[in-house]
Amino acid sequence: MDTQVTTKFKIFKTVNEVFEAIIDPEKMSNYWFSWGGSDQETVVTITLTELEPASTVIEVNESGLRENDPEIVNKMIDQKEGWVYVLTCLKAYLENGVHTLRASLLH
């Protein structure tokens, strides 16, 4: 079973603007949140692809979830939901200046 979780979004900003939002802690605090700890380590790869001068595809791939985990399907769904939420907040922040979405998540 492939246990990779992949999430892609199109953001109407340049690759540089998206990259800066990912690496700059001050910008990151406008959209990023952390969610429940995992009992295992995973590898997260973020790829930025320029579509047009002001349009970027961000792809997040998380791998390393244990295939033999009896809760693997639930964990994969949880991770996918988390990445969709983070990228939604990133898109809202970069495209519209919204920085309050991350505070609206209920656990």
Side-chain angles (χ1 to χ4, degrees):
M1 169 194 273
D2 181 6
T3 62
Q4 292 187 91
V5 175
T6 301
T7 307
K8 289 184 185 183
F9 264 62
K10 181 176 182 179
I11 298 177
F12 292 100
K13 290 293 179 181
T14 66
V15 168
N16 188 56
E17 288 173 287
V18 176
F19 179 74
E20 286 298 319
I22 293 169
I23 65 162
D24 182 333
E26 188 174 318
K27 292 179 182 177
M28 187 185 293
S29 68
N30 288 293
Y31 69 88
W32 189 267
F33 70 98
S34 61
W35 58 93
S38 176
D39 60 343
Q40 64 184 343
E41 290 185 20
T42 61
V43 175
V44 175
T45 305
I46 298 174
T47 306
L48 303 176
T49 305
E50 181 181 69
L51 293 181
E52 301 159 2
S55 181
T56 302
V57 170
I58 182 169
E59 179 177 333
V60 177
N61 182 289
E62 184 172 7
S63 60
L65 294 166
R66 285 182 281 232
E67 184 177 328
N68 62 349
D69 185 332
E71 290 295 314
I72 187 64
V73 173
N74 289 331
K75 286 182 180 180
M76 290 175 71
I77 290 169
D78 287 347
Q79 293 307 102
K80 178 72 171 190
E81 288 175 350
W83 286 116
V84 166
Y85 193 74
V86 166
L87 295 184
T88 298
C89 292
L90 173 61
K91 182 176 179 72
Y93 168 66
L94 287 174
E95 292 181 3
N96 301 297
V98 176
H99 56 85
T100 55
L101 286 178
R102 68 188 180 101
S104 64
L105 185 65
L106 300 176
H107 297 277

